[in-house]
Amino acid sequence: MESFSVSTRRRTDFVDITRQVEAAVSALGLREGVVTVFIPHTTAGITINEHADPDVMADVETALERLVPWRGDYAHAEGNAAAHVKASLLGSSVRVLVSGGRLRLGTWQGIFLCEFDGPRTRTVWVSS
Ligand code: ZN
């Protein structure tokens, strides 16, 4: 297994980690197969979406905020319930095909670490 750290800069922050995942795939020596990208945190997630136009992830942030506002009628006493809900909505892992040692992503796709309770330093695990 490979791992790397990512420092997020805001409470909600989408960080393109495609290059780091590619580096992890190289370090694993994986040429053909499937790689799992997993985040071991409860207030952050992983998703795949467009990384050509930054407005796309800005729109995702706006829509999630509308769906799950920071302040609300939550039970969780820590005060970050919205971050937990958003993390569950997006999920804690993605699987990506690997061919010829490269990630097989669509032309416009990138892998994003989705921070919902930052800024923090997050860990990402990558394994075949
Ligand atoms: Zn919490």
Side-chain angles (χ1 to χ4, degrees):
M1 188 182 84
E2 291 290 319
S3 70
F4 58 88
S5 295
V6 177
S7 295
T8 60
R9 299 148 298 184
R10 298 179 294 126
R11 179 152 78 191
T12 300
D13 196 8
F14 298 110
V15 182
D16 187 341
I17 58 169
T18 310
R19 298 282 92 85
Q20 291 100 309
V21 175
E22 280 179 343
V25 167
S26 293
L28 287 167
L30 181 65
R31 300 291 302 165
E32 304 291 329
V34 180
V35 74
T36 298
V37 184
F38 181 88
I39 186 162
H41 303 286
T42 60
T43 55
I46 297 275
T47 198
I48 293 175
N49 213 312
E50 176 166 340
H51 69 164
D53 178 3
D55 283 348
V56 171
M57 293 313 290
D59 286 341
V60 170
E61 177 177 351
T62 301
L64 284 172
E65 189 59 36
R66 198 179 304 135
L67 211 58
V68 190
W70 186 257
R71 294 192 187 287
D73 187 18
Y74 304 115
H76 181 51
E78 196 187 6
N80 61 355
H84 289 285
V85 174
K86 288 172 182 171
S88 273
L89 285 175
L90 294 195
S92 56
S93 69
V94 294
R95 303 182 81 216
V96 182
L97 302 180
V98 174
S99 177
R102 302 289 310 274
L103 295 171
R104 299 300 286 182
L105 290 164
T107 303
W108 308 109
Q109 287 182 318
I111 305 169
F112 289 90
L113 183 156
C114 309
E115 174 65 76
F116 296 118
D117 194 19
R120 297 190 194 208
T121 299
R122 301 296 198 172
T123 299
V124 178
W125 293 340
V126 181
S127 182
S128 57

